mmCIF file of all heavy atoms in Angstrom:
data_model
loop_
_atom_site.group_PDB
_atom_site.id
_atom_site.type_symbol
_atom_site.label_atom_id
_atom_site.label_comp_id
_atom_site.label_asym_id
_atom_site.label_seq_id
_atom_site.Cartn_x
_atom_site.Cartn_y
_atom_site.Cartn_z
ATOM 1 N N SER A 120 -15.771 -2.729 -17.088
ATOM 2 C CA SER A 120 -15.693 -3.252 -18.452
ATOM 3 C C SER A 120 -16.962 -3.008 -19.249
ATOM 4 O O SER A 120 -16.956 -3.075 -20.477
ATOM 5 C CB SER A 120 -15.387 -4.756 -18.424
ATOM 6 O OG SER A 120 -16.528 -5.487 -18.003
ATOM 7 N N LEU A 121 -18.078 -2.734 -18.572
ATOM 8 C CA LEU A 121 -19.352 -2.595 -19.256
ATOM 9 C C LEU A 121 -19.662 -1.135 -19.540
ATOM 10 O O LEU A 121 -19.412 -0.264 -18.713
ATOM 11 C CB LEU A 121 -20.478 -3.189 -18.405
ATOM 12 C CG LEU A 121 -20.346 -4.675 -18.022
ATOM 13 C CD1 LEU A 121 -21.524 -5.094 -17.175
ATOM 14 C CD2 LEU A 121 -20.223 -5.543 -19.261
ATOM 15 N N SER A 122 -20.207 -0.875 -20.712
ATOM 16 C CA SER A 122 -20.665 0.465 -21.045
ATOM 17 C C SER A 122 -22.092 0.637 -20.529
ATOM 18 O O SER A 122 -22.810 -0.340 -20.316
ATOM 19 C CB SER A 122 -20.629 0.683 -22.563
ATOM 20 O OG SER A 122 -21.541 -0.172 -23.203
ATOM 21 N N PRO A 123 -22.537 1.894 -20.298
ATOM 22 C CA PRO A 123 -23.883 2.104 -19.748
ATOM 23 C C PRO A 123 -25.003 1.502 -20.591
ATOM 24 O O PRO A 123 -26.060 1.170 -20.065
ATOM 25 C CB PRO A 123 -23.990 3.639 -19.700
ATOM 26 C CG PRO A 123 -22.582 4.113 -19.625
ATOM 27 C CD PRO A 123 -21.789 3.136 -20.441
ATOM 28 N N SER A 124 -24.760 1.352 -21.907
ATOM 29 C CA SER A 124 -25.830 0.875 -22.787
ATOM 30 C C SER A 124 -25.902 -0.642 -22.872
ATOM 31 O O SER A 124 -26.837 -1.190 -23.446
ATOM 32 C CB SER A 124 -25.624 1.439 -24.202
ATOM 33 O OG SER A 124 -24.388 1.009 -24.740
ATOM 34 N N GLU A 125 -24.912 -1.349 -22.289
ATOM 35 C CA GLU A 125 -24.909 -2.805 -22.391
ATOM 36 C C GLU A 125 -25.954 -3.428 -21.465
ATOM 37 O O GLU A 125 -26.100 -3.043 -20.313
ATOM 38 C CB GLU A 125 -23.525 -3.371 -22.057
ATOM 39 C CG GLU A 125 -22.535 -3.231 -23.199
ATOM 40 C CD GLU A 125 -21.265 -3.990 -22.916
ATOM 41 O OE1 GLU A 125 -20.378 -3.434 -22.255
ATOM 42 O OE2 GLU A 125 -21.146 -5.145 -23.374
ATOM 43 N N GLU A 126 -26.658 -4.406 -22.002
ATOM 44 C CA GLU A 126 -27.666 -5.149 -21.244
ATOM 45 C C GLU A 126 -26.995 -6.342 -20.583
ATOM 46 O O GLU A 126 -26.386 -7.185 -21.249
ATOM 47 C CB GLU A 126 -28.776 -5.629 -22.170
ATOM 48 C CG GLU A 126 -29.808 -6.517 -21.472
ATOM 49 C CD GLU A 126 -30.756 -7.173 -22.456
ATOM 50 O OE1 GLU A 126 -30.577 -6.954 -23.679
ATOM 51 O OE2 GLU A 126 -31.641 -7.906 -22.013
ATOM 52 N N ILE A 127 -27.084 -6.429 -19.252
ATOM 53 C CA ILE A 127 -26.493 -7.552 -18.531
ATOM 54 C C ILE A 127 -27.390 -8.772 -18.705
ATOM 55 O O ILE A 127 -28.567 -8.759 -18.346
ATOM 56 C CB ILE A 127 -26.316 -7.227 -17.033
ATOM 57 C CG1 ILE A 127 -25.362 -6.033 -16.876
ATOM 58 C CG2 ILE A 127 -25.797 -8.436 -16.270
ATOM 59 C CD1 ILE A 127 -25.163 -5.604 -15.432
ATOM 60 N N LEU A 128 -26.811 -9.830 -19.263
ATOM 61 C CA LEU A 128 -27.580 -11.038 -19.535
ATOM 62 C C LEU A 128 -27.501 -12.029 -18.387
ATOM 63 O O LEU A 128 -28.471 -12.687 -18.041
ATOM 64 C CB LEU A 128 -27.077 -11.696 -20.822
ATOM 65 C CG LEU A 128 -27.135 -10.808 -22.078
ATOM 66 C CD1 LEU A 128 -26.574 -11.557 -23.265
ATOM 67 C CD2 LEU A 128 -28.561 -10.367 -22.360
ATOM 68 N N THR A 129 -26.294 -12.175 -17.797
ATOM 69 C CA THR A 129 -26.101 -13.068 -16.655
ATOM 70 C C THR A 129 -25.141 -12.400 -15.696
ATOM 71 O O THR A 129 -24.280 -11.633 -16.103
ATOM 72 C CB THR A 129 -25.513 -14.430 -17.093
ATOM 73 O OG1 THR A 129 -24.268 -14.201 -17.765
ATOM 74 C CG2 THR A 129 -26.447 -15.168 -18.022
ATOM 75 N N MET A 130 -25.267 -12.699 -14.420
ATOM 76 C CA MET A 130 -24.345 -12.146 -13.443
ATOM 77 C C MET A 130 -22.989 -12.806 -13.589
ATOM 78 O O MET A 130 -22.891 -14.039 -13.626
ATOM 79 C CB MET A 130 -24.881 -12.363 -12.024
ATOM 80 C CG MET A 130 -26.087 -11.495 -11.705
ATOM 81 S SD MET A 130 -25.727 -9.728 -11.865
ATOM 82 C CE MET A 130 -24.502 -9.532 -10.578
ATOM 83 N N PRO A 131 -21.896 -12.022 -13.693
ATOM 84 C CA PRO A 131 -20.564 -12.604 -13.817
ATOM 85 C C PRO A 131 -20.207 -13.438 -12.595
ATOM 86 O O PRO A 131 -20.599 -13.114 -11.475
ATOM 87 C CB PRO A 131 -19.652 -11.375 -13.934
ATOM 88 C CG PRO A 131 -20.565 -10.253 -14.328
ATOM 89 C CD PRO A 131 -21.884 -10.563 -13.720
ATOM 90 N N ALA A 132 -19.455 -14.511 -12.839
ATOM 91 C CA ALA A 132 -19.053 -15.386 -11.736
ATOM 92 C C ALA A 132 -17.812 -14.825 -11.061
ATOM 93 O O ALA A 132 -16.933 -14.270 -11.711
ATOM 94 C CB ALA A 132 -18.760 -16.789 -12.272
ATOM 95 N N PRO A 133 -17.687 -14.943 -9.729
ATOM 96 C CA PRO A 133 -16.466 -14.531 -9.035
ATOM 97 C C PRO A 133 -15.358 -15.526 -9.306
ATOM 98 O O PRO A 133 -15.583 -16.621 -9.818
ATOM 99 C CB PRO A 133 -16.884 -14.552 -7.561
ATOM 100 C CG PRO A 133 -17.961 -15.596 -7.505
ATOM 101 C CD PRO A 133 -18.700 -15.498 -8.822
ATOM 102 N N ASP A 134 -14.104 -15.139 -8.919
ATOM 103 C CA ASP A 134 -12.997 -16.074 -9.049
ATOM 104 C C ASP A 134 -13.276 -17.296 -8.188
ATOM 105 O O ASP A 134 -13.810 -17.205 -7.083
ATOM 106 C CB ASP A 134 -11.684 -15.427 -8.591
ATOM 107 C CG ASP A 134 -11.207 -14.379 -9.597
ATOM 108 O OD1 ASP A 134 -11.724 -14.386 -10.726
ATOM 109 O OD2 ASP A 134 -10.328 -13.575 -9.240
ATOM 110 N N GLY A 135 -12.890 -18.446 -8.697
ATOM 111 C CA GLY A 135 -13.101 -19.674 -7.946
ATOM 112 C C GLY A 135 -13.503 -20.787 -8.883
ATOM 113 O O GLY A 135 -13.408 -20.677 -10.106
ATOM 114 N N PRO A 136 -13.975 -21.911 -8.344
ATOM 115 C CA PRO A 136 -14.367 -23.041 -9.197
ATOM 116 C C PRO A 136 -15.471 -22.644 -10.163
ATOM 117 O O PRO A 136 -16.305 -21.790 -9.879
ATOM 118 C CB PRO A 136 -14.845 -24.089 -8.181
ATOM 119 C CG PRO A 136 -14.231 -23.682 -6.875
ATOM 120 C CD PRO A 136 -14.133 -22.195 -6.919
ATOM 121 N N ARG A 137 -15.488 -23.281 -11.276
ATOM 122 C CA ARG A 137 -16.497 -23.000 -12.285
ATOM 123 C C ARG A 137 -17.876 -23.366 -11.769
ATOM 124 O O ARG A 137 -18.096 -24.466 -11.260
ATOM 125 C CB ARG A 137 -16.171 -23.807 -13.544
ATOM 126 C CG ARG A 137 -17.206 -23.660 -14.655
ATOM 127 C CD ARG A 137 -16.716 -24.364 -15.912
ATOM 128 N NE ARG A 137 -17.755 -24.370 -16.927
ATOM 129 C CZ ARG A 137 -18.389 -25.450 -17.333
ATOM 130 N NH1 ARG A 137 -18.121 -26.611 -16.786
ATOM 131 N NH2 ARG A 137 -19.302 -25.385 -18.281
ATOM 132 N N PRO A 138 -18.842 -22.430 -11.872
ATOM 133 C CA PRO A 138 -20.188 -22.746 -11.372
ATOM 134 C C PRO A 138 -20.852 -23.813 -12.220
ATOM 135 O O PRO A 138 -20.567 -23.965 -13.393
ATOM 136 C CB PRO A 138 -20.913 -21.398 -11.494
ATOM 137 C CG PRO A 138 -20.179 -20.667 -12.579
ATOM 138 C CD PRO A 138 -18.747 -21.093 -12.451
ATOM 139 N N THR A 139 -21.787 -24.548 -11.568
ATOM 140 C CA THR A 139 -22.526 -25.569 -12.301
ATOM 141 C C THR A 139 -23.737 -24.940 -12.963
ATOM 142 O O THR A 139 -24.127 -23.823 -12.656
ATOM 143 C CB THR A 139 -22.977 -26.683 -11.336
ATOM 144 O OG1 THR A 139 -23.795 -26.097 -10.321
ATOM 145 C CG2 THR A 139 -21.771 -27.358 -10.697
ATOM 146 N N GLY A 140 -24.360 -25.675 -13.904
ATOM 147 C CA GLY A 140 -25.529 -25.153 -14.587
ATOM 148 C C GLY A 140 -25.195 -24.763 -16.015
ATOM 149 O O GLY A 140 -24.031 -24.712 -16.411
ATOM 150 N N PRO A 141 -26.212 -24.487 -16.818
ATOM 151 C CA PRO A 141 -25.989 -24.151 -18.221
ATOM 152 C C PRO A 141 -25.267 -22.814 -18.384
ATOM 153 O O PRO A 141 -25.471 -21.879 -17.615
ATOM 154 C CB PRO A 141 -27.411 -24.080 -18.794
ATOM 155 C CG PRO A 141 -28.282 -23.776 -17.607
ATOM 156 C CD PRO A 141 -27.631 -24.469 -16.445
ATOM 157 N N ILE A 142 -24.396 -22.765 -19.377
ATOM 158 C CA ILE A 142 -23.641 -21.551 -19.685
ATOM 159 C C ILE A 142 -24.222 -20.924 -20.946
ATOM 160 O O ILE A 142 -24.400 -21.607 -21.960
ATOM 161 C CB ILE A 142 -22.142 -21.873 -19.908
ATOM 162 C CG1 ILE A 142 -21.532 -22.430 -18.621
ATOM 163 C CG2 ILE A 142 -21.401 -20.639 -20.360
ATOM 164 C CD1 ILE A 142 -21.513 -21.457 -17.470
ATOM 165 N N LYS A 143 -24.512 -19.624 -20.891
ATOM 166 C CA LYS A 143 -25.046 -18.933 -22.058
ATOM 167 C C LYS A 143 -23.875 -18.498 -22.934
ATOM 168 O O LYS A 143 -23.153 -17.566 -22.608
ATOM 169 C CB LYS A 143 -25.872 -17.706 -21.640
ATOM 170 C CG LYS A 143 -26.491 -16.973 -22.830
ATOM 171 C CD LYS A 143 -27.371 -15.831 -22.369
ATOM 172 C CE LYS A 143 -27.962 -15.084 -23.569
ATOM 173 N NZ LYS A 143 -28.779 -15.976 -24.431
ATOM 174 N N SER A 144 -23.671 -19.231 -24.015
ATOM 175 C CA SER A 144 -22.593 -18.875 -24.934
ATOM 176 C C SER A 144 -23.117 -17.886 -25.965
ATOM 177 O O SER A 144 -24.330 -17.732 -26.148
ATOM 178 C CB SER A 144 -22.045 -20.129 -25.629
ATOM 179 O OG SER A 144 -23.074 -20.773 -26.366
ATOM 180 N N GLY A 145 -22.190 -17.203 -26.611
ATOM 181 C CA GLY A 145 -22.550 -16.224 -27.623
ATOM 182 C C GLY A 145 -21.972 -16.594 -28.971
ATOM 183 O O GLY A 145 -21.245 -17.593 -29.120
ATOM 184 N N GLU A 146 -22.248 -15.784 -29.952
ATOM 185 C CA GLU A 146 -21.778 -16.041 -31.314
ATOM 186 C C GLU A 146 -20.260 -16.048 -31.389
ATOM 187 O O GLU A 146 -19.679 -16.750 -32.221
ATOM 188 C CB GLU A 146 -22.350 -14.967 -32.246
ATOM 189 C CG GLU A 146 -22.003 -15.167 -33.718
ATOM 190 C CD GLU A 146 -22.589 -14.077 -34.592
ATOM 191 O OE1 GLU A 146 -23.307 -13.207 -34.065
ATOM 192 O OE2 GLU A 146 -22.322 -14.103 -35.808
ATOM 193 N N LEU A 147 -19.610 -15.297 -30.496
ATOM 194 C CA LEU A 147 -18.153 -15.163 -30.544
ATOM 195 C C LEU A 147 -17.459 -15.953 -29.439
ATOM 196 O O LEU A 147 -16.282 -15.730 -29.170
ATOM 197 C CB LEU A 147 -17.765 -13.693 -30.450
ATOM 198 C CG LEU A 147 -18.330 -12.781 -31.553
ATOM 199 C CD1 LEU A 147 -17.975 -11.333 -31.293
ATOM 200 C CD2 LEU A 147 -17.809 -13.215 -32.919
ATOM 201 N N SER A 148 -18.163 -16.888 -28.807
ATOM 202 C CA SER A 148 -17.563 -17.656 -27.715
ATOM 203 C C SER A 148 -16.307 -18.396 -28.157
ATOM 204 O O SER A 148 -15.292 -18.417 -27.444
ATOM 205 C CB SER A 148 -18.583 -18.648 -27.142
ATOM 206 O OG SER A 148 -19.575 -17.989 -26.397
ATOM 207 N N ALA A 149 -16.343 -19.016 -29.332
ATOM 208 C CA ALA A 149 -15.177 -19.771 -29.811
ATOM 209 C C ALA A 149 -13.979 -18.849 -30.025
ATOM 210 O O ALA A 149 -12.839 -19.202 -29.691
ATOM 211 C CB ALA A 149 -15.528 -20.502 -31.110
ATOM 212 N N GLN A 150 -14.213 -17.653 -30.582
ATOM 213 C CA GLN A 150 -13.127 -16.694 -30.796
ATOM 214 C C GLN A 150 -12.538 -16.243 -29.458
ATOM 215 O O GLN A 150 -11.321 -16.119 -29.315
ATOM 216 C CB GLN A 150 -13.646 -15.489 -31.579
ATOM 217 C CG GLN A 150 -12.581 -14.432 -31.863
ATOM 218 C CD GLN A 150 -13.133 -13.267 -32.676
ATOM 219 O OE1 GLN A 150 -14.120 -13.393 -33.383
ATOM 220 N NE2 GLN A 150 -12.492 -12.123 -32.588
ATOM 221 N N VAL A 151 -13.407 -16.020 -28.483
ATOM 222 C CA VAL A 151 -12.947 -15.608 -27.160
ATOM 223 C C VAL A 151 -12.128 -16.709 -26.500
ATOM 224 O O VAL A 151 -11.079 -16.442 -25.892
ATOM 225 C CB VAL A 151 -14.147 -15.218 -26.274
ATOM 226 C CG1 VAL A 151 -13.727 -15.067 -24.811
ATOM 227 C CG2 VAL A 151 -14.773 -13.927 -26.771
ATOM 228 N N GLU A 152 -12.562 -17.953 -26.627
ATOM 229 C CA GLU A 152 -11.826 -19.066 -26.036
ATOM 230 C C GLU A 152 -10.438 -19.203 -26.654
ATOM 231 O O GLU A 152 -9.448 -19.474 -25.950
ATOM 232 C CB GLU A 152 -12.621 -20.358 -26.214
ATOM 233 C CG GLU A 152 -13.911 -20.384 -25.395
ATOM 234 C CD GLU A 152 -14.938 -21.354 -25.944
ATOM 235 O OE1 GLU A 152 -14.568 -22.215 -26.774
ATOM 236 O OE2 GLU A 152 -16.123 -21.247 -25.563
ATOM 237 N N GLN A 153 -10.334 -18.996 -27.958
ATOM 238 C CA GLN A 153 -9.034 -19.052 -28.621
ATOM 239 C C GLN A 153 -8.137 -17.926 -28.127
ATOM 240 O O GLN A 153 -6.943 -18.127 -27.853
ATOM 241 C CB GLN A 153 -9.212 -18.967 -30.130
ATOM 242 C CG GLN A 153 -7.897 -19.044 -30.909
ATOM 243 C CD GLN A 153 -8.115 -18.984 -32.410
ATOM 244 O OE1 GLN A 153 -9.233 -18.848 -32.883
ATOM 245 N NE2 GLN A 153 -7.045 -19.082 -33.174
ATOM 246 N N LEU A 154 -8.713 -16.721 -27.991
ATOM 247 C CA LEU A 154 -7.941 -15.580 -27.504
ATOM 248 C C LEU A 154 -7.507 -15.801 -26.056
ATOM 249 O O LEU A 154 -6.398 -15.416 -25.660
ATOM 250 C CB LEU A 154 -8.776 -14.307 -27.623
ATOM 251 C CG LEU A 154 -8.110 -12.984 -27.235
ATOM 252 C CD1 LEU A 154 -6.888 -12.736 -28.099
ATOM 253 C CD2 LEU A 154 -9.093 -11.838 -27.373
ATOM 254 N N ALA A 155 -8.366 -16.445 -25.277
ATOM 255 C CA ALA A 155 -8.022 -16.735 -23.886
ATOM 256 C C ALA A 155 -6.796 -17.642 -23.811
ATOM 257 O O ALA A 155 -5.873 -17.399 -23.018
ATOM 258 C CB ALA A 155 -9.213 -17.392 -23.180
ATOM 259 N N ARG A 156 -6.753 -18.665 -24.640
ATOM 260 C CA ARG A 156 -5.595 -19.565 -24.650
ATOM 261 C C ARG A 156 -4.317 -18.812 -25.014
ATOM 262 O O ARG A 156 -3.249 -19.036 -24.433
ATOM 263 C CB ARG A 156 -5.823 -20.717 -25.636
ATOM 264 C CG ARG A 156 -6.962 -21.656 -25.242
ATOM 265 C CD ARG A 156 -7.051 -22.842 -26.183
ATOM 266 N NE ARG A 156 -8.209 -23.674 -25.876
ATOM 267 C CZ ARG A 156 -9.391 -23.543 -26.464
ATOM 268 N NH1 ARG A 156 -9.566 -22.620 -27.408
ATOM 269 N NH2 ARG A 156 -10.394 -24.318 -26.115
ATOM 270 N N GLN A 157 -4.420 -17.900 -25.974
ATOM 271 C CA GLN A 157 -3.262 -17.118 -26.396
ATOM 272 C C GLN A 157 -2.760 -16.193 -25.295
ATOM 273 O O GLN A 157 -1.585 -15.830 -25.269
ATOM 274 C CB GLN A 157 -3.606 -16.302 -27.646
ATOM 275 C CG GLN A 157 -3.903 -17.144 -28.879
ATOM 276 C CD GLN A 157 -4.410 -16.315 -30.043
ATOM 277 O OE1 GLN A 157 -4.649 -15.119 -29.931
ATOM 278 N NE2 GLN A 157 -4.585 -16.970 -31.185
ATOM 279 N N SER A 158 -3.653 -15.812 -24.375
ATOM 280 C CA SER A 158 -3.269 -14.888 -23.306
ATOM 281 C C SER A 158 -2.936 -15.605 -22.003
ATOM 282 O O SER A 158 -2.765 -14.959 -20.973
ATOM 283 C CB SER A 158 -4.394 -13.872 -23.064
ATOM 284 O OG SER A 158 -5.570 -14.511 -22.601
ATOM 285 N N GLY A 159 -2.851 -16.938 -22.040
ATOM 286 C CA GLY A 159 -2.424 -17.686 -20.864
ATOM 287 C C GLY A 159 -3.527 -18.244 -20.007
ATOM 288 O O GLY A 159 -3.270 -18.778 -18.926
ATOM 289 N N CYS A 160 -4.773 -18.144 -20.451
ATOM 290 C CA CYS A 160 -5.912 -18.703 -19.713
ATOM 291 C C CYS A 160 -6.413 -19.930 -20.462
ATOM 292 O O CYS A 160 -6.873 -19.818 -21.599
ATOM 293 C CB CYS A 160 -7.032 -17.668 -19.574
ATOM 294 S SG CYS A 160 -8.636 -18.340 -19.066
ATOM 295 N N VAL A 161 -6.308 -21.098 -19.831
ATOM 296 C CA VAL A 161 -6.831 -22.314 -20.451
ATOM 297 C C VAL A 161 -8.295 -22.439 -20.044
ATOM 298 O O VAL A 161 -8.603 -22.679 -18.875
ATOM 299 C CB VAL A 161 -6.042 -23.557 -20.010
ATOM 300 C CG1 VAL A 161 -6.617 -24.808 -20.661
ATOM 301 C CG2 VAL A 161 -4.569 -23.394 -20.349
ATOM 302 N N PRO A 162 -9.231 -22.237 -20.980
ATOM 303 C CA PRO A 162 -10.643 -22.182 -20.611
ATOM 304 C C PRO A 162 -11.174 -23.521 -20.113
ATOM 305 O O PRO A 162 -10.778 -24.587 -20.575
ATOM 306 C CB PRO A 162 -11.340 -21.777 -21.919
ATOM 307 C CG PRO A 162 -10.263 -21.253 -22.812
ATOM 308 C CD PRO A 162 -9.025 -21.987 -22.418
ATOM 309 N N ILE A 163 -12.098 -23.434 -19.148
ATOM 310 C CA ILE A 163 -12.857 -24.595 -18.702
ATOM 311 C C ILE A 163 -14.276 -24.406 -19.226
ATOM 312 O O ILE A 163 -15.020 -23.561 -18.736
ATOM 313 C CB ILE A 163 -12.867 -24.706 -17.164
ATOM 314 C CG1 ILE A 163 -11.439 -24.807 -16.622
ATOM 315 C CG2 ILE A 163 -13.694 -25.902 -16.721
ATOM 316 C CD1 ILE A 163 -11.380 -24.814 -15.114
ATOM 317 N N GLY A 164 -14.641 -25.166 -20.221
ATOM 318 C CA GLY A 164 -15.967 -25.010 -20.802
ATOM 319 C C GLY A 164 -16.034 -23.823 -21.753
ATOM 320 O O GLY A 164 -15.020 -23.273 -22.194
ATOM 321 N N ARG A 165 -17.249 -23.395 -22.064
ATOM 322 C CA ARG A 165 -17.487 -22.334 -23.029
ATOM 323 C C ARG A 165 -17.311 -20.952 -22.413
ATOM 324 O O ARG A 165 -17.518 -20.754 -21.214
ATOM 325 C CB ARG A 165 -18.908 -22.432 -23.609
ATOM 326 C CG ARG A 165 -19.237 -23.732 -24.311
ATOM 327 C CD ARG A 165 -18.280 -24.035 -25.463
ATOM 328 N NE ARG A 165 -18.101 -22.913 -26.371
ATOM 329 C CZ ARG A 165 -18.908 -22.650 -27.409
ATOM 330 N NH1 ARG A 165 -19.971 -23.422 -27.620
ATOM 331 N NH2 ARG A 165 -18.657 -21.646 -28.217
ATOM 332 N N ALA A 166 -16.959 -19.994 -23.257
ATOM 333 C CA ALA A 166 -16.931 -18.600 -22.833
ATOM 334 C C ALA A 166 -18.367 -18.117 -22.677
ATOM 335 O O ALA A 166 -19.217 -18.358 -23.536
ATOM 336 C CB ALA A 166 -16.193 -17.746 -23.854
#
Side-chain angles (χ1 to χ4, degrees):
S120 73
L121 302 179
S122 65
S124 61
E125 282 189 275
E126 175 190 2
I127 298 178
L128 302 178
T129 58
M130 289 301 296
D134 288 345
R137 177 173 173 249
T139 59
I142 297 296
K143 182 176 179 59
S144 60
E146 183 180 357
L147 301 175
S148 288
Q150 180 178 336
V151 168
E152 292 158 15
Q153 181 179 2
L154 183 60
R156 294 185 185 94
Q157 295 173 354
S158 64
C160 165
V161 180
I163 301 176
R165 301 302 310 274

